[in-house]
Amino acid sequence: MPEKLFDKAVFSLAEVARSIQKAIAARYKSVYWIKAEMNKLNHYAHSGHCYPELVEKMDGKVIAEMRSVLWNGDYRRVNQRFIEITGEPLKNGVTILFQATISYDPLYGMTLRIMDIDPAYSLGELEKERQESISRLKKEGIFQANKGLSLPVVPKRLAIISVETSKGYADFLKIVDGNPWGYRFEKTLFPALLQGDKSIPSIINQLTRIAEHSDAYDAVAIIRGGGGEVGLSSYNNYMLAATIAKFPIPILTGIGHSTNETVSEMVAYKKAITPSELADFLIRRFHNFALSVSRARDIIIQRATQLLALYKTSLNDIGRYFRLNSIHLVKQQQKALGHGRIQLNMASIMSLRQAQQQVLNAQQGLKTISLASLKNTKVDLTSTERSINLLDPRQVLGRGYSITRLNGRAVKSTDGIQKGDIVETSLASGNIISTVKELNPSDE
Protein backbone atom coordinates (compact mmCIF):
# COMPACT_ATOMS: atom_id res chain seq x y z
CA MET A 1 0.00 0.00 0.00
CA PRO A 2 1.28 3.52 -0.74
CA GLU A 3 2.09 5.75 2.16
CA LYS A 4 0.74 9.24 2.54
CA LEU A 5 3.24 12.07 2.19
CA PHE A 6 2.01 15.64 1.94
CA ASP A 7 -1.41 14.34 0.86
CA LYS A 8 0.22 12.42 -2.02
CA ALA A 9 0.20 8.65 -2.60
CA VAL A 10 3.84 7.62 -2.74
CA PHE A 11 4.95 4.15 -3.94
CA SER A 12 8.30 2.60 -3.18
CA LEU A 13 10.53 1.48 -6.03
CA ALA A 14 10.07 -2.15 -4.99
CA GLU A 15 6.29 -1.74 -5.07
CA VAL A 16 6.46 -0.32 -8.57
CA ALA A 17 8.76 -3.15 -9.69
CA ARG A 18 6.51 -5.82 -8.17
CA SER A 19 3.48 -4.23 -9.80
CA ILE A 20 5.20 -4.30 -13.18
CA GLN A 21 6.23 -7.89 -12.52
CA LYS A 22 2.65 -8.95 -11.81
CA ALA A 23 1.32 -7.09 -14.84
CA ILE A 24 3.80 -8.65 -17.22
CA ALA A 25 3.32 -12.11 -15.71
CA ALA A 26 -0.43 -11.78 -16.19
CA ARG A 27 -0.09 -10.40 -19.73
CA TYR A 28 2.65 -12.60 -21.17
CA LYS A 29 1.81 -16.16 -20.15
CA SER A 30 2.74 -17.88 -23.42
CA VAL A 31 5.94 -18.61 -25.35
CA TYR A 32 6.51 -16.18 -28.23
CA TRP A 33 8.47 -16.20 -31.52
CA ILE A 34 10.58 -13.05 -31.82
CA LYS A 35 13.04 -11.88 -34.47
CA ALA A 36 16.07 -9.73 -33.62
CA GLU A 37 19.75 -9.27 -34.33
CA MET A 38 22.05 -10.88 -31.80
CA ASN A 39 24.47 -8.00 -31.37
CA LYS A 40 26.55 -9.93 -28.82
CA LEU A 41 26.25 -13.57 -27.74
CA ASN A 42 28.01 -13.05 -24.37
CA HIS A 43 28.81 -16.73 -23.76
CA TYR A 44 30.53 -17.52 -20.44
CA ALA A 45 32.68 -20.66 -20.72
CA HIS A 46 32.90 -21.36 -16.98
CA SER A 47 29.11 -21.65 -16.56
CA GLY A 48 28.08 -22.43 -20.14
CA HIS A 49 25.32 -19.80 -19.96
CA CYS A 50 24.79 -17.05 -22.55
CA TYR A 51 23.36 -13.58 -22.03
CA PRO A 52 22.67 -12.40 -25.61
CA GLU A 53 22.33 -8.68 -26.28
CA LEU A 54 19.42 -8.34 -28.73
CA VAL A 55 18.81 -5.29 -30.91
CA GLU A 56 16.63 -4.11 -33.77
CA LYS A 57 17.98 -1.58 -36.25
CA MET A 58 16.43 0.79 -38.77
CA ASP A 59 18.58 2.59 -41.30
CA GLY A 60 21.63 1.47 -39.35
CA LYS A 61 20.40 2.88 -36.03
CA VAL A 62 19.33 0.83 -32.99
CA ILE A 63 15.63 1.40 -32.29
CA ALA A 64 15.14 -1.33 -29.66
CA GLU A 65 17.44 -3.23 -27.30
CA MET A 66 16.79 -5.95 -24.73
CA ARG A 67 18.78 -8.43 -22.68
CA SER A 68 18.08 -12.13 -22.78
CA VAL A 69 19.32 -15.36 -21.27
CA LEU A 70 20.13 -18.72 -22.86
CA TRP A 71 20.85 -21.31 -20.23
CA ASN A 72 23.65 -23.85 -20.67
CA GLY A 73 21.47 -26.85 -21.59
CA ASP A 74 19.36 -24.88 -24.08
CA TYR A 75 22.48 -23.28 -25.57
CA ARG A 76 24.18 -26.63 -26.26
CA ARG A 77 21.04 -27.98 -27.94
CA VAL A 78 20.21 -24.99 -30.15
CA ASN A 79 23.85 -24.27 -31.01
CA GLN A 80 24.40 -27.84 -32.22
CA ARG A 81 21.33 -27.61 -34.43
CA PHE A 82 22.43 -24.20 -35.72
CA ILE A 83 25.78 -25.67 -36.74
CA GLU A 84 24.12 -28.61 -38.51
CA ILE A 85 21.86 -26.32 -40.57
CA THR A 86 24.05 -23.29 -41.27
CA GLY A 87 27.55 -24.72 -40.92
CA GLU A 88 28.41 -22.04 -38.35
CA PRO A 89 27.87 -21.71 -34.56
CA LEU A 90 25.84 -18.92 -33.01
CA LYS A 91 27.86 -15.71 -33.09
CA ASN A 92 27.67 -11.95 -32.95
CA GLY A 93 25.84 -10.11 -35.72
CA VAL A 94 23.43 -12.94 -36.70
CA THR A 95 19.75 -12.18 -37.29
CA ILE A 96 17.73 -14.89 -35.51
CA LEU A 97 14.14 -16.03 -35.04
CA PHE A 98 13.88 -17.36 -31.50
CA GLN A 99 11.25 -18.70 -29.15
CA ALA A 100 11.23 -17.07 -25.71
CA THR A 101 9.28 -16.31 -22.56
CA ILE A 102 8.93 -12.74 -21.34
CA SER A 103 9.52 -11.92 -17.68
CA TYR A 104 10.37 -9.03 -15.41
CA ASP A 105 12.48 -9.17 -12.30
CA PRO A 106 12.52 -6.27 -9.80
CA LEU A 107 16.32 -6.46 -9.61
CA TYR A 108 17.38 -7.48 -13.16
CA GLY A 109 14.60 -5.89 -15.18
CA MET A 110 13.02 -7.19 -18.38
CA THR A 111 14.42 -10.46 -19.66
CA LEU A 112 13.71 -12.78 -22.60
CA ARG A 113 14.51 -16.39 -21.84
CA ILE A 114 15.43 -18.02 -25.15
CA MET A 115 14.05 -21.54 -25.47
CA ASP A 116 14.77 -22.32 -29.13
CA ILE A 117 16.22 -20.75 -32.30
CA ASP A 118 15.14 -21.44 -35.90
CA PRO A 119 18.37 -21.64 -38.02
CA ALA A 120 16.38 -21.79 -41.28
CA TYR A 121 15.17 -18.22 -40.67
CA SER A 122 18.76 -16.97 -40.40
CA LEU A 123 19.59 -18.58 -43.73
CA GLY A 124 16.49 -16.99 -45.26
CA GLU A 125 17.50 -13.53 -44.08
CA LEU A 126 20.93 -13.97 -45.61
CA GLU A 127 19.44 -14.97 -48.96
CA LYS A 128 17.05 -12.01 -48.86
CA GLU A 129 19.93 -9.59 -48.36
CA ARG A 130 21.89 -11.34 -51.11
CA GLN A 131 19.10 -10.94 -53.69
CA GLU A 132 18.49 -7.30 -52.74
CA SER A 133 22.18 -6.46 -53.22
CA ILE A 134 22.30 -8.19 -56.62
CA SER A 135 19.19 -6.35 -57.82
CA ARG A 136 20.50 -2.96 -56.71
CA LEU A 137 23.95 -3.43 -58.28
CA LYS A 138 22.41 -4.44 -61.61
CA LYS A 139 19.97 -1.53 -61.51
CA GLU A 140 22.89 0.87 -61.00
CA GLY A 141 24.76 -0.69 -63.93
CA ILE A 142 27.92 -1.56 -61.99
CA PHE A 143 27.46 -5.32 -61.57
CA GLN A 144 29.98 -6.15 -64.34
CA ALA A 145 32.25 -3.10 -63.93
CA ASN A 146 35.22 -4.82 -62.27
CA LYS A 147 35.01 -7.79 -64.64
CA GLY A 148 35.39 -5.37 -67.55
CA LEU A 149 38.85 -4.27 -66.42
CA SER A 150 42.06 -5.68 -67.89
CA LEU A 151 44.28 -7.91 -65.76
CA PRO A 152 47.98 -7.64 -66.72
CA VAL A 153 49.42 -10.67 -68.51
CA VAL A 154 51.76 -11.13 -65.55
CA PRO A 155 50.01 -9.82 -62.38
CA LYS A 156 53.18 -9.48 -60.32
CA ARG A 157 52.27 -6.67 -57.86
CA LEU A 158 49.57 -7.81 -55.42
CA ALA A 159 47.74 -5.91 -52.67
CA ILE A 160 46.39 -8.58 -50.30
CA ILE A 161 43.50 -8.06 -47.85
CA SER A 162 43.64 -10.79 -45.23
CA VAL A 163 44.65 -11.62 -41.67
CA GLU A 164 48.32 -12.42 -41.14
CA THR A 165 47.43 -15.43 -38.94
CA SER A 166 44.75 -16.78 -41.32
CA LYS A 167 45.26 -20.37 -42.48
CA GLY A 168 43.94 -19.39 -45.90
CA TYR A 169 46.57 -16.67 -46.19
CA ALA A 170 49.28 -19.12 -45.11
CA ASP A 171 48.14 -21.63 -47.76
CA PHE A 172 48.23 -18.89 -50.41
CA LEU A 173 51.76 -17.81 -49.51
CA LYS A 174 53.00 -21.41 -49.41
CA ILE A 175 51.97 -21.96 -53.02
CA VAL A 176 53.02 -18.64 -54.59
CA ASP A 177 56.36 -18.47 -52.74
CA GLY A 178 57.16 -22.15 -53.20
CA ASN A 179 56.30 -22.56 -56.88
CA PRO A 180 58.87 -24.83 -58.59
CA TRP A 181 59.58 -22.35 -61.43
CA GLY A 182 60.82 -19.62 -59.11
CA TYR A 183 58.25 -16.99 -60.16
CA ARG A 184 58.37 -14.04 -57.76
CA PHE A 185 55.43 -11.88 -56.67
CA GLU A 186 55.54 -8.45 -54.98
CA LYS A 187 53.02 -8.74 -52.10
CA THR A 188 51.73 -6.06 -49.70
CA LEU A 189 49.42 -7.16 -46.86
CA PHE A 190 46.55 -4.90 -45.78
CA PRO A 191 45.19 -6.54 -42.58
CA ALA A 192 41.39 -6.53 -42.11
CA LEU A 193 38.63 -8.34 -40.24
CA LEU A 194 37.16 -10.96 -42.55
CA GLN A 195 33.82 -11.94 -40.98
CA GLY A 196 31.05 -10.40 -38.92
CA ASP A 197 29.49 -6.93 -39.24
CA LYS A 198 32.80 -5.21 -38.46
CA SER A 199 34.43 -6.90 -41.44
CA ILE A 200 32.44 -4.71 -43.86
CA PRO A 201 33.94 -1.32 -42.85
CA SER A 202 37.30 -3.00 -42.20
CA ILE A 203 37.59 -4.35 -45.77
CA ILE A 204 36.17 -1.16 -47.31
CA ASN A 205 38.71 0.97 -45.43
CA GLN A 206 41.60 -1.12 -46.74
CA LEU A 207 40.22 -0.99 -50.30
CA THR A 208 40.07 2.80 -49.97
CA ARG A 209 43.73 2.85 -48.90
CA ILE A 210 44.73 0.69 -51.86
CA ALA A 211 42.71 2.80 -54.32
CA GLU A 212 44.76 5.87 -53.35
CA HIS A 213 47.83 4.09 -54.79
CA SER A 214 46.16 1.82 -57.33
CA ASP A 215 48.90 2.47 -59.92
CA ALA A 216 51.32 0.62 -57.63
CA TYR A 217 49.41 -2.68 -57.92
CA ASP A 218 48.26 -5.01 -60.67
CA ALA A 219 45.42 -6.58 -58.66
CA VAL A 220 43.86 -6.92 -55.19
CA ALA A 221 43.41 -10.35 -53.59
CA ILE A 222 40.85 -10.82 -50.77
CA ILE A 223 41.82 -14.00 -48.91
CA ARG A 224 40.28 -15.81 -45.92
CA GLY A 225 39.86 -19.35 -44.65
CA GLY A 226 36.72 -21.47 -44.98
CA GLY A 227 33.38 -20.87 -43.31
CA GLY A 228 29.64 -21.49 -43.44
CA GLU A 229 26.86 -19.28 -44.78
CA VAL A 230 26.53 -17.18 -41.65
CA GLY A 231 30.22 -16.38 -41.53
CA LEU A 232 30.11 -15.21 -45.17
CA SER A 233 27.05 -12.97 -44.76
CA SER A 234 29.11 -9.77 -44.79
CA TYR A 235 30.17 -10.52 -48.38
CA ASN A 236 26.53 -10.11 -49.49
CA ASN A 237 26.44 -6.57 -48.12
CA TYR A 238 25.63 -3.97 -50.79
CA MET A 239 28.23 -1.40 -49.68
CA LEU A 240 31.08 -3.91 -49.76
CA ALA A 241 29.98 -5.42 -53.08
CA ALA A 242 29.56 -1.95 -54.64
CA THR A 243 33.06 -0.93 -53.52
CA ILE A 244 34.49 -4.06 -55.17
CA ALA A 245 32.45 -3.58 -58.35
CA LYS A 246 33.63 0.03 -58.83
CA PHE A 247 37.25 -0.61 -57.83
CA PRO A 248 39.78 0.79 -60.38
CA ILE A 249 41.90 -2.40 -60.66
CA PRO A 250 40.89 -6.10 -60.82
CA ILE A 251 39.88 -7.73 -57.53
CA LEU A 252 40.47 -11.46 -57.02
CA THR A 253 38.71 -13.38 -54.24
CA GLY A 254 39.61 -16.60 -52.45
CA ILE A 255 37.37 -16.69 -49.39
CA GLY A 256 37.27 -20.43 -48.84
CA HIS A 257 33.89 -21.98 -49.55
CA SER A 258 32.14 -23.98 -52.27
CA THR A 259 28.44 -23.37 -51.51
CA ASN A 260 26.39 -20.30 -52.44
CA GLU A 261 28.37 -17.66 -54.32
CA THR A 262 28.43 -14.36 -52.42
CA VAL A 263 27.63 -11.05 -54.12
CA SER A 264 31.19 -9.78 -53.57
CA GLU A 265 32.51 -12.79 -55.47
CA MET A 266 29.96 -12.26 -58.27
CA VAL A 267 31.14 -8.71 -58.98
CA ALA A 268 34.87 -9.39 -58.54
CA TYR A 269 37.11 -9.85 -61.58
CA LYS A 270 37.94 -13.44 -60.60
CA LYS A 271 36.49 -15.79 -57.98
CA ALA A 272 38.44 -18.77 -56.66
CA ILE A 273 36.82 -21.25 -54.28
CA THR A 274 39.86 -21.35 -52.00
CA PRO A 275 43.03 -19.29 -51.44
CA SER A 276 45.03 -22.22 -52.83
CA GLU A 277 43.04 -22.16 -56.07
CA LEU A 278 43.62 -18.41 -56.36
CA ALA A 279 47.36 -18.95 -55.95
CA ASP A 280 47.29 -21.59 -58.70
CA PHE A 281 45.45 -19.13 -60.99
CA LEU A 282 48.16 -16.49 -60.56
CA ILE A 283 50.97 -18.98 -61.13
CA ARG A 284 49.26 -20.19 -64.32
CA ARG A 285 49.30 -16.60 -65.60
CA PHE A 286 53.07 -16.49 -65.06
CA HIS A 287 53.56 -19.95 -66.54
CA ASN A 288 51.51 -19.27 -69.68
CA PHE A 289 53.58 -16.15 -70.31
CA ALA A 290 56.82 -18.06 -69.69
CA LEU A 291 55.74 -20.76 -72.16
CA SER A 292 55.04 -18.12 -74.81
CA VAL A 293 58.49 -16.59 -74.29
CA SER A 294 60.05 -20.05 -74.42
CA ARG A 295 58.25 -20.86 -77.67
CA ALA A 296 59.41 -17.53 -79.18
CA ARG A 297 62.99 -18.29 -78.13
CA ASP A 298 62.79 -21.74 -79.74
CA ILE A 299 61.44 -20.24 -82.97
CA ILE A 300 64.27 -17.68 -83.08
CA ILE A 301 66.87 -20.40 -82.50
CA GLN A 302 65.28 -22.64 -85.12
CA ARG A 303 65.12 -19.91 -87.77
CA ALA A 304 68.65 -18.70 -87.02
CA THR A 305 69.90 -22.29 -87.31
CA GLN A 306 68.09 -22.71 -90.62
CA LEU A 307 69.57 -19.43 -91.92
CA LEU A 308 73.09 -20.42 -90.91
CA ALA A 309 72.60 -23.86 -92.48
CA LEU A 310 71.47 -22.21 -95.71
CA TYR A 311 74.51 -19.95 -95.79
CA LYS A 312 76.75 -22.91 -94.96
CA THR A 313 75.27 -24.92 -97.83
CA SER A 314 75.78 -22.02 -100.24
CA LEU A 315 79.36 -21.63 -99.07
CA ASN A 316 80.01 -25.35 -99.48
CA ASP A 317 78.59 -25.22 -103.01
CA ILE A 318 80.90 -22.33 -103.88
CA GLY A 319 83.88 -24.13 -102.37
CA ARG A 320 83.03 -27.33 -104.23
CA TYR A 321 82.78 -25.39 -107.53
CA PHE A 322 86.18 -23.81 -107.10
CA ARG A 323 87.80 -27.09 -106.00
CA LEU A 324 86.57 -28.78 -109.18
CA ASN A 325 87.95 -25.93 -111.28
CA SER A 326 91.29 -26.19 -109.47
CA ILE A 327 91.48 -29.93 -110.10
CA HIS A 328 90.65 -29.36 -113.78
CA LEU A 329 93.41 -26.78 -114.09
CA VAL A 330 95.94 -29.10 -112.42
CA LYS A 331 95.05 -31.89 -114.81
CA GLN A 332 95.52 -29.53 -117.73
CA GLN A 333 98.97 -28.63 -116.40
CA GLN A 334 99.91 -32.28 -115.94
CA LYS A 335 98.74 -33.04 -119.45
CA ALA A 336 100.83 -30.19 -120.81
CA LEU A 337 103.94 -31.44 -118.97
CA GLY A 338 103.38 -34.97 -120.32
CA HIS A 339 103.50 -33.68 -123.89
CA GLY A 340 106.74 -31.84 -123.29
CA ARG A 341 105.24 -28.42 -122.73
CA ILE A 342 107.33 -27.47 -119.71
CA GLN A 343 106.18 -23.87 -119.54
CA LEU A 344 103.42 -23.45 -117.00
CA ASN A 345 100.18 -21.91 -118.06
CA MET A 346 100.40 -18.64 -116.11
CA ALA A 347 96.84 -17.77 -117.04
CA SER A 348 95.60 -20.95 -115.37
CA ILE A 349 97.56 -20.24 -112.19
CA MET A 350 96.09 -16.76 -112.02
CA SER A 351 92.63 -18.21 -112.51
CA LEU A 352 93.19 -20.57 -109.56
CA ARG A 353 94.34 -17.73 -107.34
CA GLN A 354 91.32 -15.67 -108.28
CA ALA A 355 89.06 -18.57 -107.39
CA GLN A 356 90.70 -18.89 -103.99
CA GLN A 357 90.23 -15.17 -103.37
CA GLN A 358 86.56 -15.42 -104.32
CA VAL A 359 86.09 -18.15 -101.70
CA LEU A 360 87.68 -15.92 -99.05
CA ASN A 361 85.52 -12.99 -100.17
CA ALA A 362 82.40 -15.16 -99.94
CA GLN A 363 83.29 -16.24 -96.40
CA GLN A 364 83.83 -12.64 -95.30
CA GLY A 365 80.59 -11.56 -96.99
CA LEU A 366 78.61 -14.27 -95.22
CA LYS A 367 80.02 -13.16 -91.86
CA THR A 368 79.23 -9.47 -92.57
CA ILE A 369 75.66 -10.23 -93.72
CA SER A 370 74.99 -12.41 -90.66
CA LEU A 371 76.23 -9.76 -88.23
CA ALA A 372 74.24 -7.01 -89.99
CA SER A 373 71.09 -9.15 -89.94
CA LEU A 374 71.40 -9.81 -86.19
CA LYS A 375 72.10 -6.12 -85.52
CA ASN A 376 69.03 -5.02 -87.51
CA THR A 377 66.88 -7.54 -85.64
CA LYS A 378 68.11 -6.17 -82.28
CA VAL A 379 67.33 -2.59 -83.44
CA ASP A 380 63.82 -3.64 -84.51
CA LEU A 381 63.19 -5.29 -81.14
CA THR A 382 64.47 -2.22 -79.25
CA SER A 383 62.26 0.06 -81.35
CA THR A 384 59.23 -2.15 -80.78
CA GLU A 385 59.87 -2.20 -77.01
CA ARG A 386 60.16 1.60 -76.99
CA SER A 387 56.87 1.95 -78.88
CA ILE A 388 55.11 -0.38 -76.47
CA ASN A 389 56.42 1.57 -73.47
CA LEU A 390 55.22 4.85 -75.01
CA LEU A 391 51.73 3.35 -75.37
CA ASP A 392 51.66 2.24 -71.72
CA PRO A 393 48.61 3.98 -70.14
CA ARG A 394 50.77 5.12 -67.20
CA GLN A 395 53.19 6.82 -69.64
CA VAL A 396 50.28 8.46 -71.49
CA LEU A 397 48.79 9.76 -68.22
CA GLY A 398 52.21 11.07 -67.21
CA ARG A 399 52.23 13.30 -70.34
CA GLY A 400 49.16 15.19 -69.08
CA TYR A 401 46.40 13.05 -70.50
CA SER A 402 43.59 11.55 -68.40
CA ILE A 403 41.01 8.75 -68.60
CA THR A 404 37.37 9.43 -67.76
CA ARG A 405 35.13 6.49 -66.84
CA LEU A 406 31.36 6.16 -66.44
CA ASN A 407 30.31 3.06 -64.46
CA GLY A 408 33.82 1.64 -64.84
CA ARG A 409 33.98 2.02 -68.67
CA ALA A 410 36.14 4.53 -70.50
CA VAL A 411 34.25 7.52 -71.94
CA LYS A 412 35.07 8.28 -75.58
CA SER A 413 32.26 10.74 -76.41
CA THR A 414 29.29 12.51 -74.80
CA ASP A 415 26.92 9.88 -76.23
CA GLY A 416 25.19 8.02 -73.43
CA ILE A 417 26.12 10.61 -70.77
CA GLN A 418 23.41 12.57 -69.03
CA LYS A 419 23.42 15.49 -66.65
CA GLY A 420 23.74 14.31 -63.10
CA ASP A 421 25.88 11.27 -64.01
CA ILE A 422 28.89 10.69 -61.78
CA VAL A 423 32.14 10.16 -63.69
CA GLU A 424 35.63 9.23 -62.45
CA THR A 425 38.73 10.79 -64.01
CA SER A 426 42.08 8.99 -63.61
CA LEU A 427 45.21 11.15 -63.67
CA ALA A 428 48.87 10.26 -63.49
CA SER A 429 48.54 10.68 -59.75
CA GLY A 430 45.11 10.22 -58.14
CA ASN A 431 41.50 10.20 -59.29
CA ILE A 432 38.77 12.89 -59.52
CA ILE A 433 35.08 12.13 -58.96
CA SER A 434 32.81 14.59 -60.82
CA THR A 435 29.11 15.19 -61.41
CA VAL A 436 28.11 16.09 -64.99
CA LYS A 437 26.44 19.52 -65.00
CA GLU A 438 26.74 20.43 -68.68
CA LEU A 439 27.40 18.55 -71.94
CA ASN A 440 29.10 20.07 -75.00
CA PRO A 441 28.81 17.50 -77.81
CA SER A 442 31.33 17.70 -80.64
CA ASP A 443 30.20 19.52 -83.81
CA GLU A 444 31.64 16.70 -85.95
Side-chain angles (χ1 to χ4, degrees):
M1 293 292 294
E3 63 175 304
K4 291 289 185 176
L5 184 62
F6 303 111
D7 296 327
K8 297 177 181 177
V10 179
F11 296 90
S12 70
L13 183 62
E15 288 175 327
V16 174
R18 284 194 294 269
S19 177
I20 295 173
Q21 184 181 34
K22 290 178 181 179
I24 290 178
R27 173 65 178 83
Y28 298 101
K29 297 180 180 180
S30 302
V31 177
Y32 302 91
W33 283 101
I34 306 168
K35 65 176 181 178
E37 178 182 329
M38 189 158 59
N39 192 44
K40 291 183 180 179
L41 178 60
N42 292 327
H43 176 250
Y44 291 84
H46 67 278
S47 66
H49 304 317
C50 301
Y51 300 92
E53 178 185 302
L54 304 174
V55 299
E56 181 175 346
K57 297 177 182 178
M58 180 177 292
D59 298 328
K61 296 182 179 180
V62 176
I63 61 173
E65 183 174 355
M66 192 171 295
R67 69 186 298 273
S68 64
V69 61
L70 182 57
W71 300 126
N72 184 16
D74 293 331
Y75 169 69
R76 291 200 305 269
R77 172 175 50 82
V78 298
N79 188 53
Q80 180 60 37
R81 185 160 174 261
F82 204 83
I83 293 173
E84 292 173 356
I85 300 299
T86 68
E88 291 277 348
L90 287 169
K91 60 177 62 179
N92 299 343
V94 179
T95 300
I96 59 173
L97 178 65
F98 60 96
Q99 190 180 50
T101 59
I102 302 173
S103 63
Y104 178 84
D105 183 271
L107 185 58
Y108 299 106
M110 186 75 71
T111 301
L112 301 176
R113 180 190 170 187
I114 299 175
M115 312 291 291
D116 197 6
I117 296 178
D118 182 2
Y121 176 83
S122 298
L123 285 179
E125 286 295 295
L126 295 178
E127 181 60 26
K128 179 182 177 182
E129 180 185 18
R130 179 173 176 269
Q131 293 300 329
E132 288 175 350
S133 296
I134 292 173
S135 177
R136 185 174 175 183
L137 291 165
K138 289 183 176 180
K139 185 177 180 180
E140 295 174 357
I142 60 175
F143 193 81
Q144 298 287 340
N146 197 257
K147 292 183 181 296
L149 300 177
S150 177
L151 182 67
V153 176
V154 180
K156 181 181 180 66
R157 305 171 301 164
L158 302 177
I160 301 175
I161 296 178
S162 188
V163 177
E164 190 171 5
T165 57
S166 165
K167 183 178 183 301
Y169 180 54
D171 291 342
F172 177 84
L173 292 182
K174 182 178 179 181
I175 293 175
V176 297
D177 291 341
N179 72 86
W181 300 277
Y183 305 141
R184 289 291 175 261
F185 295 83
E186 297 174 9
K187 307 177 292 296
T188 304
L189 177 64
F190 291 82
L193 298 174
L194 297 177
Q195 66 182 39
D197 281 351
K198 294 182 179 179
S199 67
I200 297 170
S202 181
I203 296 174
I204 290 176
N205 287 341
Q206 293 294 42
L207 286 172
T208 302
R209 286 185 59 200
I210 297 169
E212 294 173 353
H213 307 282
S214 59
D215 57 341
Y217 304 102
D218 298 322
V220 177
I222 301 177
I223 297 171
R224 72 183 287 274
E229 296 301 313
V230 174
L232 293 166
S233 60
S234 57
Y235 296 92
N236 289 321
N237 177 266
Y238 164 78
M239 292 301 298
L240 176 56
T243 302
I244 292 174
K246 296 185 293 185
F247 206 72
I249 60 177
I251 291 186
L252 319 173
T253 63
I255 60 176
H257 76 111
S258 58
T259 53
N260 286 344
E261 186 178 23
T262 66
V263 182
S264 292
E265 292 173 294
M266 291 180 179
V267 299
Y269 180 90
K270 165 70 178 177
K271 179 204 93 168
I273 294 177
T274 64
S276 296
E277 182 182 308
L278 180 58
D280 289 336
F281 166 77
L282 292 169
I283 290 174
R284 283 199 303 273
R285 299 279 297 195
F286 268 72
H287 201 53
N288 289 341
F289 178 76
L291 289 176
S292 298
V293 172
S294 178
R295 283 194 293 268
R297 180 197 61 193
D298 292 342
I299 290 173
I300 292 173
I301 293 174
Q302 180 185 11
R303 292 183 177 177
T305 302
Q306 291 173 346
L307 181 63
L308 291 174
L310 178 63
Y311 282 132
K312 182 178 181 180
T313 300
S314 299
L315 182 60
N316 289 336
D317 290 342
I318 293 173
R320 187 182 304 108
Y321 169 77
F322 287 116
R323 283 197 300 274
L324 291 174
N325 281 344
S326 299
I327 293 172
H328 178 68
L329 290 173
V330 169
K331 288 182 177 180
Q332 284 184 334
Q333 294 298 328
Q334 291 175 343
K335 184 177 181 181
L337 291 172
H339 287 81
R341 295 194 299 271
I342 300 175
Q343 293 184 351
L344 294 175
N345 189 335
M346 296 302 298
S348 297
I349 294 174
M350 289 299 298
S351 177
L352 178 59
R353 290 178 177 175
Q354 289 175 356
Q356 290 175 336
Q357 186 61 45
Q358 287 177 353
V359 171
L360 293 175
N361 291 340
Q363 289 176 333
Q364 185 62 35
L366 176 60
K367 181 178 179 180
T368 301
I369 291 173
S370 298
L371 292 174
S373 177
L374 291 174
K375 183 176 180 181
N376 290 337
T377 301
K378 181 178 180 180
V379 171
D380 290 343
L381 289 173
T382 302
S383 176
T384 301
E385 180 181 11
R386 188 181 300 111
S387 299
I388 291 173
N389 288 334
L390 288 174
L391 293 175
D392 189 320
R394 288 173 290 188
Q395 295 289 340
V396 175
L397 292 177
R399 294 198 294 274
Y401 292 91
S402 64
I403 301 175
T404 300
R405 295 185 177 86
L406 175 63
N407 295 330
R409 298 184 179 277
V411 174
K412 299 179 180 178
S413 71
T414 58
D415 295 342
I417 302 180
Q418 299 180 358
K419 291 182 178 180
D421 284 346
I422 296 176
V423 297
E424 180 179 2
T425 302
S426 297
L427 308 173
S429 176
N431 299 330
I432 299 175
I433 306 299
S434 311
T435 301
V436 178
K437 292 186 177 179
E438 184 176 349
L439 297 171
N440 294 314
S442 174
D443 295 334
E444 297 181 355

